[in-house]
């Protein structure tokens, strides 16, 4: 089968995200609007002032989920933020090799006058904390919205919406804010980085003794052993333990229901991972709602899907 000429879609996000809105909300918003098949045949090039000002780890969260949007690849053009992130890391080139590598990476960046096959624009100010309610990453709404009625969706999305409502045991018109959770999973390659853990720990620390809701199993799984070691050293792990989270060894864990880290029956999981397909977290009837790490922490403390900005007093 012929694969066809790859196309490039430039996705611009411009402006400043509001406090309590994160890179994860940006990518869930993008996939919500472009769909899980919208990127088929495309490479996604992310740009605009929001991406210019993102840290490298924030950019990685968005790029990581290009696949969930159907794209072949997702990237942000390399710049000084990229080079500073890589400089001095264990496997980064050194000395003259570093200079040659930086020159090579710079040459891969798109020209200012590059012509794209498609351009899509978003405004950062219009993005709110976002959660998925269904069985694909595109079935997402802002935290102040309700489960949609399939009748009001484009025809192409209706059958999946009906299937999702049945699987998720939710009702059209019900606000997502307030749905009771059983499990909170903070981790994965999308959102298990040191900056993710630092951001959540910073807010947890201000909660002064507030604990995970008694009916919730909450686990934190660093994205790598390196992240786990640094987080221990910085006291981040202890902040999570004191708040009632289980601090686990690094790995994929409940992103895909690895080893014992599985949902049981139809448990509902607030998850910072990247996939909410049926059975993804280890139980065929398990239910997954994707969201940012801070939204996962808010759900863990309150026992419900809720707006992290209210729980943590973010204005
Ligand atoms: S299974 Fe592991 S590598 Fe794959 S998406 Fe989940 S955390 Fe990332």
């Amino acid at each position: 089968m012929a694969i066809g000429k790859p196309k490039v879609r430039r996705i611009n996000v411009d402006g400043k995200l509001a406090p309590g809105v994160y890179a994860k909300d940006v990518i869930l918003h993008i996939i919500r609007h472009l769909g899980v098949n919208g990127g088929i045949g495309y490479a996604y090039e992310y740009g605009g002032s929001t991406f210019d000002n993102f840290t490298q780890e924030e950019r990685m969260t968005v790029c990581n989920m290009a696949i969930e949007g159907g794209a072949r690849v997702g990237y942000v053009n390399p710049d000084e933020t990229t080079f500073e992130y890589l400089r001095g890391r264990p496997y980064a080139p050194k000395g003259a090799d570093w200079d040659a590598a930086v020159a090579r990476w710079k040459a891969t960046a798109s020209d200012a006058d590059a012509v794209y096959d498609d351009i899509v624009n978003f405004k950062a100010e219009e993005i709110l904390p976002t959660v998925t309610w269904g069985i694909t990453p595109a079935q997402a709404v802002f935290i102040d919205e309700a489960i949609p009625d399939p009748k009001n969706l484009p025809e192409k999305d209706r059958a999946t919406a009906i299937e999702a409502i049945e699987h998720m045991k939710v009702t059209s018109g019900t606000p997502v804010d307030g749905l009771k959770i059983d499990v909170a999973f903070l981790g994965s390659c999308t959102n298990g980085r040191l900056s993710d853990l630092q951001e959540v720990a910073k807010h947890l620390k201000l909660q002064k003794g507030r604990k995970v809701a008694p009916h919730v199993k909450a686990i934190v799984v660093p994205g790598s052993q390196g992240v786990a070691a640094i987080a221990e050293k910085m006291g981040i792990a202890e902040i999570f333990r004191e708040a009632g989270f289980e601090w686990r060894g690094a790995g994929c864990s409940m992103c895909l229901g690895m080893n014992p880290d599985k949902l049981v029956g139809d448990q509902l999981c607030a998850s910072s991972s990247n996939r909410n397909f049926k059975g993804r977290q280890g139980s065929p009837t398990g239910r997954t709602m994707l969201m940012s790490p801070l939204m996962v922490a808010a759900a863990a403390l309150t026992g419900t899907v809720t707006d992290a900005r209210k729980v943590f007093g973010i204005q």
Side-chain angles (χ1 to χ4, degrees):
M1 189 179 81
I3 293 177
K5 183 175 173 286
K7 295 181 285 184
V8 180
R9 173 177 288 144
R10 168 83 176 193
I11 300 177
N12 291 310
V13 184
D14 282 296
K16 198 169 180 314
L17 292 175
V21 181
Y22 296 96
K24 182 61 159 289
D25 301 303
V26 172
I27 186 58
L28 289 175
H29 188 71
I30 290 171
I31 298 175
R32 173 184 181 178
H33 287 277
L34 299 181
V36 285
N37 296 323
I40 290 177
Y42 282 97
Y44 277 179
E45 178 178 303
Y46 302 105
S49 62
T50 308
F51 283 98
D52 291 343
N53 294 320
F54 265 174
T55 64
Q56 189 62 22
E57 297 202 343
E58 289 172 316
R59 295 174 180 181
M60 286 153 74
T61 291
V62 177
C63 292
N64 193 303
M65 287 188 68
I67 300 300
E68 277 72 25
R72 294 182 180 190
V73 65
Y75 61 92
V76 176
N77 282 313
D79 62 5
E80 289 307 317
T81 300
T82 319
F83 308 143
E84 279 313 305
Y85 182 81
L86 291 171
R87 192 190 301 275
R89 289 188 178 256
Y91 299 105
K94 307 268 185 301
D97 289 344
W98 169 260
D99 294 338
V102 169
R104 201 168 59 247
W105 294 331
K106 279 184 176 169
T108 66
S110 301
D111 296 332
D113 60 352
V115 176
Y116 297 95
D117 297 287
D118 191 30
I119 299 176
V120 181
N121 298 306
F122 294 96
K123 288 185 184 148
E125 291 81 2
E126 293 175 356
I127 303 174
L128 298 179
T130 300
V131 301
T132 61
W133 57 269
I135 53 174
T136 84
Q139 290 174 323
V141 290
F142 292 147
I143 186 62
D144 62 359
E145 291 184 88
I147 309 289
D149 185 334
K151 286 202 296 288
N152 299 331
L153 296 175
E155 194 173 346
K156 67 176 177 47
D157 297 332
R158 279 181 210 153
T160 316
I162 291 166
E163 186 185 346
I165 284 170
E166 191 182 343
H167 179 82
M168 295 297 287
K169 299 188 161 88
V170 290
T171 314
S172 297
T174 304
V176 288
D177 191 338
L179 290 174
K180 190 174 172 205
I181 68 156
D182 305 291
V183 177
F185 170 58
L186 206 172
S188 85
C189 57
T190 303
N191 275 133
R193 299 190 180 87
L194 186 62
S195 54
D196 296 315
L197 304 181
Q198 278 178 304
E199 176 69 8
V200 177
K202 178 181 87 182
H203 288 286
L204 277 179
K205 204 172 170 184
L206 296 173
Q207 292 295 300
K208 297 194 182 6
R210 191 164 181 189
K211 305 269 190 212
V212 167
H215 71 275
V216 172
K217 175 187 175 71
I219 65 174
V220 184
V221 182
S224 71
Q225 291 186 12
V227 168
I230 298 169
E232 281 282 7
K233 208 168 166 186
M234 292 175 74
I236 290 172
E238 198 47 36
I239 292 171
F240 279 106
R241 287 192 198 101
E242 277 178 14
F245 290 79
E246 292 176 33
W247 179 262
R248 307 287 286 277
C252 295
S253 177
M254 204 176 267
C255 173
L256 79 168
M258 189 168 265
N259 303 327
D261 295 344
K262 294 178 168 59
L263 295 184
V264 178
D266 66 357
Q267 281 182 322
L268 181 63
C269 180
S271 179
S272 70
S273 57
N274 38 357
R275 297 194 165 180
N276 56 342
F277 308 131
K278 285 179 176 176
R280 173 68 180 182
Q281 292 190 292
S283 164
T285 51
R287 297 170 295 156
T288 302
M289 294 181 75
L290 305 177
M291 57 192 77
S292 73
L294 197 66
M295 288 285 282
V296 170
L301 296 188
T302 62
T304 61
V305 175
T306 192
D307 192 336
R309 298 171 302 176
K310 291 182 189 154
V311 174
F312 295 108
I314 298 170
Q315 291 171 346

